[in-house]
Amino acid sequence: MNLEAEILKGLQAQYQFRKTKGAWLQEGTCPACGKREAFAAAKDPKIVRCGRQDRCGWEISVRDALPDLFEDWSKRFPETEENPTATADAYLQHERCLDLRLLRGSYTQELYRDHKTGHTSATVRFAVGDTYWERLIDRPGRFEKKAHFRKGGTYKGHCWIPPRLSMEEIAKAEEILITEGIFDATALCQVRKVAVSAMSTNNWPEHFLADLRVELERIKRTTRPRLVFAFDVGRAGVEYTIKYVKRATAEGWDASAMQVRPDGEGTKKDWNDLLKEHLDWAG
Ligand SMILES: [Zn+2]
């Protein structure tokens, strides 16, 4: 069954439309008001809405209504002989809205198997330090953790550097944003910032800063770029930001911090989320 047929089947199972002939699926059960008013397009539906717009107003994107179908990236975009990273490419492009030109060459596509449950998932894997970090991409909700480092190796002291960014470009920058995650650093590079990832909040990037000082000397720059700690919102992010700004300042760097401003209570967004909401954002 192709994706569109599976979507129609999934929507029918969920909303039980009584009228399915013609251009619209109609008289489905609205989960908010319980009335038989839910409807969606019969061809390539993107959204399901309640017809009682003023009195109920419920709606959901088909993506959110049927997450399992959309998160089965291996099925939707299987790897091929010509493109062994086809699944990872699709995930980065469609789920993360990242520009593959900024990432190509820095990742591989692998297969992860959970030894307890036997579930498998394609992963997108990035090397950092003498270890790697990989993100599970096929219906990641089935797994205890959505991402992990290789056991045994370490990224301590290192940063992940976007492959298109040279050490010279980094050393010439006015400011360097240091994020928690790879996708955040890439999202910021996409809006023309210079950003690297420390891979976690609890990782003082001593090796990266040492390499940076060597490069500053090599290009004979007498000032230093400002370090901006751009960690995720939350207690750990804030605590380590304060600690690291202090430490950077003590080591002779001009340092500051930035965080994603939450738009409402209880929302926790990262730089990648912000990029997805503002694809026309130019920094
Ligand atoms: Zn309703």
Side-chain angles (χ1 to χ4, degrees):
M1 212 186 316
N2 66 20
L3 182 64
E4 196 185 342
E6 286 198 57
I7 286 171
L8 292 174
K9 194 178 151 210
L11 291 179
Q12 184 56 31
Q14 207 151 319
Y15 304 109
Q16 280 139 17
F17 300 102
R18 285 196 295 214
K19 290 188 180 168
T20 55
K21 297 206 166 59
W24 298 94
L25 308 172
Q26 288 168 300
E27 295 186 13
T29 304
C30 168
C33 69
K35 299 270 193 278
R36 283 275 183 181
E37 292 275 359
F39 70 98
K43 193 169 165 32
D44 194 22
K46 296 273 187 278
I47 197 153
V48 187
R49 283 202 174 92
C50 179
R52 306 169 73 223
Q53 248 170 17
D54 293 335
R55 273 171 297 176
C56 175
W58 173 85
E59 63 175 47
I60 192 170
S61 69
V62 170
R63 162 78 180 77
D64 288 344
L66 303 166
D68 278 5
L69 288 186
F70 287 84
E71 290 176 353
D72 221 337
W73 295 95
S74 288
K75 205 167 159 193
R76 292 173 66 195
F77 303 92
E79 58 175 285
T80 60
E81 213 163 298
E82 304 82 64
N83 186 5
T85 61
T87 312
D89 292 356
Y91 170 81
L92 294 168
Q93 232 174 339
H94 302 304
E95 181 75 11
R96 297 278 170 177
C97 296
L98 297 176
D99 184 344
L100 292 183
R101 289 171 300 179
L102 299 176
L103 285 170
R104 282 232 191 270
S106 67
Y107 61 90
T108 57
Q109 180 178 324
E110 310 291 341
L111 190 71
Y112 175 78
R113 185 169 182 279
D114 185 317
H115 289 292
K116 273 186 237 154
T117 63
H119 291 320
T120 59
S121 167
T123 73
V124 51
R125 180 185 290 182
F126 297 86
V128 56
D130 65 0
T131 185
Y132 63 70
W133 175 85
E134 67 180 349
R135 176 66 158 84
L136 278 51
I137 61 185
D138 292 319
R139 298 196 281 135
R142 296 174 297 154
F143 299 90
E144 217 169 290
K145 285 171 75 184
K146 292 178 181 176
H148 55 252
F149 291 95
R150 178 171 67 88
K151 286 195 184 74
T154 182
Y155 60 93
K156 284 286 168 209
H158 294 280
C159 282
W160 177 84
I161 300 174
R164 290 274 299 273
L165 213 50
S166 68
M167 211 55 196
E168 182 172 342
E169 284 170 287
I170 296 173
K172 283 181 174 166
E174 269 310 297
E175 59 178 28
I176 301 167
L177 309 185
I178 302 173
T179 67
E180 260 183 69
I182 285 175
F183 302 142
D184 295 322
T186 309
L188 289 167
C189 287
Q190 208 156 312
V191 293
R192 294 184 290 281
K193 305 282 183 192
V194 170
V196 299
S197 159
M199 304 307 296
S200 85
T201 49
N202 180 13
N203 180 33
W204 174 251
E206 54 183 319
H207 302 312
F208 169 72
L209 293 177
D211 291 347
L212 183 57
R213 282 194 301 267
V214 169
E215 185 64 18
L216 287 168
E217 242 169 75
R218 194 187 70 79
I219 64 169
K220 300 191 168 57
R221 177 172 173 181
T222 50
T223 57
R224 289 183 182 187
R226 186 182 329 109
L227 304 181
V228 181
F229 292 91
F231 291 163
D232 289 352
V233 181
R235 203 167 136 220
V238 173
E239 275 177 15
Y240 277 102
T241 297
I242 294 169
K243 209 167 133 184
Y244 287 174
V245 168
K246 257 190 207 160
R247 181 162 175 185
T249 309
E251 293 188 11
W253 300 92
D254 180 11
S256 64
M258 64 187 234
Q259 281 199 324
V260 176
R261 180 175 59 86
D263 282 333
E265 228 166 300
T267 54
K268 191 181 172 222
K269 286 181 187 160
D270 61 29
W271 299 109
N272 193 181
D273 295 327
L274 213 59
L275 175 79
K276 291 198 286 191
E277 284 174 19
H278 305 274
L279 279 173
D280 54 350
W281 182 38

